Amino acid sequence: MCGIVGYVGPRVATPLLVEGLKRLEYRGYDSAGVAIMNGAGVETVKEAGKISRLEAMLAANPVHGTTGIAHTRWATHGPPNQVNAHPHVSDDGTIAVVHNGIIENATVLKKMLEGRGYTFRSDTDTEVLAHLIEECFDGNLEDAVIEALRQVEGTYGIAVVSSVDAHKIVAARKGSPLLVGLGDDEYFVASDVSAILAHTRKVVYLDDGEMAVVDRNGYRIVDLNAMEVQKKVSRIDWDLGQIERGGFAHFMLKEIFEQPQTLENTMRGRLLDDDGTAKLGGLNLTDDELLAFDNIVITACGTSWHSALIGEHMIEELTRVPVEVEYASEFRYRNPIVNERTLCIVISQSGETADTLAAMREAKRRGARTLGIVNVVGSTIAREADGGIYIHAGPEIGVASTKAFTSQVIALLLFTLKLGRLRDLSILTGREIIEAMHRLPGQIQQILDRSAEIEALAEEFKRASNFLYLGRGYNFPVALEGALKLKEISYIHAEGYPAAEMKHGPIALIDEMMPVVFIAPHDSVFDKLASNIQEVKARKGRVIAITSRDEEALAGKVDYEFRIPETIDLLMPVLASVPLQLLAYYIAVKRGSNVDQPRNLAKSVTVE
Ligand code: G6P
């Protein structure tokens, strides 16, 4: 979603800002722009479409200056065109603003400002901020920003420059991530660490209600009463190689192929083989506290919600604690039954999804303990949760989540082992699970080594207009995730269903044009699933089966079969997801889609 980069220092700002924007491309956007202090005033260049278009404009008409801010916009208020692109500039042309988030009282403020003679040029809520800051400006930019933000309702991450109080960036945060990057005699502001990783690994994360005032001589963090706040400097341990494609055609493919390694990283140091349990240092809960919860609620969005469904199944089966899974966007506005005896697990790759964060805060308000299963270290959910499990999957750049999903499932299994062993799970079962976990990375590698088979399958099905994905038990969420992957990046309509539920509706869709992917490994519900396959075949559907062994029941019943290694039921979702990720990827590539930045989607959805 929208991205912010800012620079103050001795170097020419434009190339650094454009480079930063490119690092944020993966988040999803539809227009981009920069505002540079060029010595005479604020010069703004912006364009709809890809950053390459902005870059071409800047190459044709270079803008010189060593202080600037830049933005990639993902449209909320008004279409993605040049006028609505950020930065937005005040009426007198002295102040430029970039903004992530939504100003909820924009209409009221706009009316007030129009009444005072301000002219609005765009459809955006952000333009209100530019005029409001001008209205409050009295020579000092941070005072004007504080004054303006006091009148604003909604969410924001903003960066502001002024040609009157020049060589300074003022950045503020409420609900939309922002950080200050500390270089050598130079400073950055960014909404995501990837934007500045090439220049520094030292960052200060802003919390809600905080503002950074950054100039060539240093930075200060203050609250909205202008009181100085002491902040910790964090060191980022991701390196540049991890946010580059490294020879792969797309980030998504690189990330799919990284899974043997990323799963090792999720498990590293956490498995206690002899005791058949897991060690999780970040839970911040004693064993007694962990045993005292009556129920668990898991909340998440998108792919993370699918991993939550697998987690529900695991936790209930192995620990017998009741688990409920809820879309974060629904949970936050219901009146959920959550109290101090509830453990609320929040799953988020980015740690910044607005609905997930709001759901976590709601659970906290109701007295629940919160645990974050998060990838991005230092993200808001990671910082605000009472404890958590980092999945350590490394930066995920492809918009369609792949390696984060499989690592989330493993993190949930680690948690299940820990809680299960405190309850009734036997040491022998615990050990069996851990043995299977150790085999997993190698088994994924075996699947990846056969990616050409999936590519051939993609060739066969690339023209389909619809797809059904069916699975049961642990593999029903895999069906949902397989369908989501396909629709996200290939734009083919795809639905996931519990296989037996097919009879209650989707069966009406089946004819010789309908490919149906069955996730049918040899597990406890295989026989049931074999009957569902027969039902599809009887209606001439084209069956692609993900299986794990030669099954007599399937002889002559499937059109294509991809066999994955055998494992325990609990781990099948991880293995079965990999061919489905590859299938979606290859179909999307063959249809000419922009795999890493699919239309309309954002990597991290920081608005409601
Ligand atoms: C967006 C992304 C999805 C992701 C979802 C939740 O929709 O495109 O890939 O699953 O957000 O994101 P989170 O970072 O909270 O896991």
Side-chain angles (χ1 to χ4, degrees), residues 301-304 347-351 353 356 399 401 488 602-603 605:
C301 301
T303 289
S304 299
I347 309 180
S348 175
Q349 186 284 130
S350 62
T353 302
T356 312
V399 164
S401 183
E488 281 178 318
K603 180 69 183 158
V605 179

Side-chain angles (χ1 to χ4, degrees), residues 90-262:
S90 60
D91 248 4
D92 66 359
T94 62
I95 291 165
V97 180
V98 292
H99 164 225
N100 294 349
I102 293 178
I103 306 299
E104 284 163 7
N105 59 342
T107 316
V108 179
L109 291 171
K110 185 174 174 186
K111 214 173 232 162
M112 182 270 284
L113 289 161
E114 278 173 339
R116 295 189 189 172
Y118 288 90
T119 311
F120 281 79
R121 295 168 188 86
S122 74
D123 309 312
T124 65
D125 51 338
T126 303
E127 196 181 354
V128 165
L129 281 176
H131 298 319
L132 193 59
I133 296 170
E134 180 191 331
E135 172 75 9
C136 301
F137 191 80
D138 193 15
N140 176 294
L141 186 60
E142 56 266 35
D143 290 349
V145 173
I146 289 182
E147 187 61 30
L149 291 180
R150 287 211 180 110
Q151 300 174 54
V152 159
E153 284 162 26
T155 55
Y156 53 79
I158 55 167
V160 191
V161 288
S162 153
S163 57
V164 179
D165 191 5
H167 303 300
K168 178 192 276 182
I169 299 176
V170 173
R173 166 191 171 142
K174 185 180 160 206
S176 218
L178 216 52
L179 54 90
V180 179
L182 317 180
D184 292 333
D185 296 325
E186 59 181 5
Y187 296 89
F188 299 82
V189 166
S191 54
D192 178 330
V193 74
S194 315
I196 60 167
L197 203 54
H199 306 286
T200 180
R201 290 194 185 174
K202 284 194 287 183
V203 303
V204 174
Y205 292 103
L206 293 196
D207 284 305
D208 281 354
E210 291 177 351
M211 188 172 87
V213 184
V214 187
D215 64 25
R216 283 180 177 197
N217 303 316
Y219 70 97
R220 281 184 302 126
I221 312 287
V222 296
D223 62 19
L224 291 190
N225 294 314
M227 297 297 290
E228 197 132 350
V229 185
Q230 290 309 317
K231 300 285 290 183
K232 163 172 140 246
V233 176
S234 306
R235 225 195 125 69
I236 307 299
D237 56 10
W238 289 356
D239 62 43
L240 212 53
Q242 288 177 289
I243 59 168
E244 288 176 346
R245 276 193 280 125
F248 283 90
H250 296 96
F251 280 110
M252 182 179 175
L253 191 63
K254 175 181 177 231
E255 287 157 7
I256 292 172
F257 272 77
E258 277 173 355
Q259 287 175 109
Q261 194 55 50
T262 50

Side-chain angles (χ1 to χ4, degrees), residues 274-295:
D274 290 345
D275 297 337
T277 186
K279 186 174 80 190
L280 294 167
L283 294 186
N284 296 338
L285 287 168
T286 63
D287 289 354
D288 285 342
E289 285 172 325
L290 204 49
L291 282 169
F293 295 112
D294 289 341
N295 65 325

